[in-house]
Amino acid sequence: MEYPIPRRPGFDPPAEFAELRESAPVCPVSLRHGQRAHLVTRYADVRAVLRDHERFSSNPATPGYPQLRPVVDRAAAPGSFLVTDPPAHTRYRRLLTGEFTARRMDALRPEVERIARERLDALRAGPRPADLVAGFALPVPSDVICLLLGVPVADQEFFSTRSRAHLDRSLPAARVRAALDELHAYLADLVRSRRERPRDDLVSRLVADESLTVEEAVGMTVLLLVGGHETTANSIALSVLALLRDRAWWDALVAEPDLVDDAVEELLRYLSPVHHGVVRAVAGEVPGWGLGPGDGVVASLFAANRDPAEFPDPDRLDLRRPAKSHLAFGSGVHQCIGQLLARVEMRVALRALVAELPGLRLAVPFEEVGFRFDAPIYGLRSLPVTW
């Protein structure tokens, strides 16, 4: 079986996932560079992989590391805490943990609400139909991450296009590398500037640690910049589409806005935007799976979040379902460091929409909405809406 498995428009994972959970929960697959790996699809198994950093390595230099990107990663770039193991990973995360605490996110919420309100006002003042992706879902988290990092909002277009190219798995490796090089050069200038003239922003506080090299600071900032807007932007747009398709749930949020907080957890479970999964190299013997050093695994968050053993009737969207155990943000030491920020942004965005645009509706048939499946984080090309 080749992986990633092709998808059809809509929110459901490939039908093969359900079959694999039953008959081959650890299944051999072929990857894009001719490499072999094993796809893991059951919730309990995926969670076990994510939480065991001793037997499952995140480092591309570990033999067997599955390569899903057009660019082959031979080693972890400096500062890339997403693809490092402890103790290096622990050092990088420790520098950022204080920036994403619940207390800081609560303090940031008024700014997120201001940004959402301003973007929504601009959307309403423009022509109809409007594109909710370009006019709201993408700029809200982009504005927020710019504010946090100290990146000029005027440069949004630059980093947005480069980050999307960096994540686009349909592009040739040369174009992906060029986009990443341009992003690195831009952020290297920003890091050097903040080290010389610090401001009240995350990058300035990060580079205040003199043990951190410029290259490490750039690598960490790239992850925050790309991850800080792409995943949340796609989650907001997909959530709105899912709610407008199942109008009863949209109307429920309009009538009961306090339902939004729990609804976000169910939407994350149901949509699972990181749809290609998380890759790990096997660094120790795995009894029962027949795997050992030199093997690789792809842990499917999407398949895990639709596992009926954990979530009864998993293919049904139910905003009242207790879904906080979902794995949309991963688990273990590599669980998304910005998950609290993403939750704040999604909750603020959905509350603003149901409060200010209760009559929001699709401006085209659902079948005409264009999905983007060519990246590890799937989303929408556009979302035409009116009200």
Side-chain angles (χ1 to χ4, degrees):
M1 177 182 293
E2 292 187 359
Y3 192 84
I5 303 169
R7 292 190 59 185
R8 295 179 180 177
F11 308 114
D12 292 332
E16 290 88 340
F17 283 173
E19 299 169 8
L20 292 174
R21 277 195 305 265
E22 291 295 323
S23 60
V26 183
C27 175
V29 291
S30 299
L31 308 183
R32 66 183 301 154
H33 298 289
Q35 187 183 14
R36 301 281 288 178
H38 289 78
L39 177 64
V40 182
T41 49
R42 287 181 179 170
Y43 178 94
D45 293 339
V46 169
R47 187 174 182 273
V49 168
L50 299 179
R51 296 177 70 84
D52 187 347
H53 64 267
E54 294 184 355
R55 286 191 299 176
F56 297 96
S57 170
S58 301
N59 191 337
T62 307
Y65 184 87
Q67 302 285 345
L68 295 181
R69 300 177 60 227
V71 176
V72 174
D73 299 309
R74 300 297 184 190
S80 296
F81 55 89
L82 193 64
V83 288
T84 54
D85 296 324
H89 172 267
T90 308
R91 172 181 170 242
Y92 292 142
R93 288 278 294 218
R94 188 177 293 124
L95 291 171
L96 291 171
T97 300
E99 298 290 337
F100 294 97
T101 61
R103 183 177 179 180
R104 277 192 179 268
M105 295 304 100
D106 286 344
L108 182 65
R109 188 179 183 111
E111 284 297 298
V112 180
E113 291 172 341
R114 174 188 61 80
I115 288 169
R117 185 169 57 251
E118 290 175 355
R119 287 296 184 174
L120 192 53
D121 288 345
L123 184 79
R124 289 192 296 185
R128 284 184 266 177
D131 179 4
L132 195 76
V133 171
F136 186 76
L138 182 58
V140 167
S142 295
D143 287 355
V144 173
I145 201 65
C146 281
L147 177 69
L148 278 177
L149 296 179
V151 175
V153 174
D155 293 340
Q156 267 191 16
E157 180 66 20
F158 173 86
F159 74 72
S160 180
T161 55
R162 272 65 178 182
S163 67
R164 288 205 163 192
H166 165 51
L167 294 173
D168 193 336
R169 288 176 175 166
S170 70
L171 295 179
R175 282 189 61 187
V176 174
R177 174 55 61 193
L180 192 55
D181 287 346
E182 291 175 357
L183 197 56
H184 271 255
Y186 172 91
L187 292 173
D189 288 342
L190 179 71
V191 164
R192 293 189 185 97
S193 172
R194 293 298 185 270
R195 186 155 268 176
E196 294 173 2
R197 296 179 297 280
R199 300 181 183 178
D200 184 18
D201 56 45
L202 190 154
V203 173
S204 296
R205 290 188 291 274
L206 185 65
V207 301
D209 187 318
E210 295 183 358
S211 71
L212 200 67
T213 67
V214 170
E215 291 75 17
E216 288 176 318
V218 169
M220 296 174 74
T221 308
V222 165
L223 290 180
L224 294 173
L225 187 61
V226 175
H229 77 278
E230 281 289 342
T231 308
T232 310
N234 290 335
S235 297
I236 291 170
L238 289 166
S239 294
V240 173
L241 179 59
L243 294 168
L244 294 182
R245 190 187 190 196
D246 193 343
R247 189 75 199 190
W249 283 125
W250 176 267
D251 292 340
L253 294 183
V254 170
E256 190 181 347
D258 287 345
L259 181 58
V260 166
D261 288 3
D262 288 338
V264 162
E265 303 302 326
E266 169 66 354
L267 286 163
L268 286 165
R269 179 204 70 82
Y270 180 75
L271 298 168
S272 296
V274 184
H275 68 146
H276 286 170
V278 174
V279 297
R280 295 286 188 267
V282 179
E285 298 297 330
V286 186
W289 289 6
L291 303 182
D295 290 318
V297 299
V298 180
S300 175
L301 308 181
F302 210 161
N305 282 337
R306 295 293 188 97
D307 187 345
E310 180 68 18
F311 304 103
D313 196 7
D315 296 328
R316 180 173 61 88
L317 179 65
D318 180 0
L319 301 190
R320 300 185 187 280
R321 179 201 306 270
K324 289 184 179 180
S325 61
H326 68 77
L327 299 176
F329 292 117
S331 188
V333 298
H334 283 283
Q335 189 170 41
C336 176
I337 196 168
Q339 61 175 302
L340 296 180
L341 174 60
R343 286 182 165 101
V344 168
E345 291 172 327
M346 289 184 67
R347 288 166 179 168
V348 167
L350 289 178
R351 279 180 178 270
L353 288 170
V354 298
E356 302 297 328
L357 291 177
L360 191 71
R361 63 185 186 278
L362 291 178
V364 298
F366 176 83
E367 292 72 21
E368 293 182 15
V369 175
F371 284 78
R372 294 177 62 250
F373 292 134
D374 49 11
I377 305 162
Y378 82 103
L380 305 176
R381 300 186 187 281
S382 65
L383 182 57
V385 294
T386 190
W387 52 90

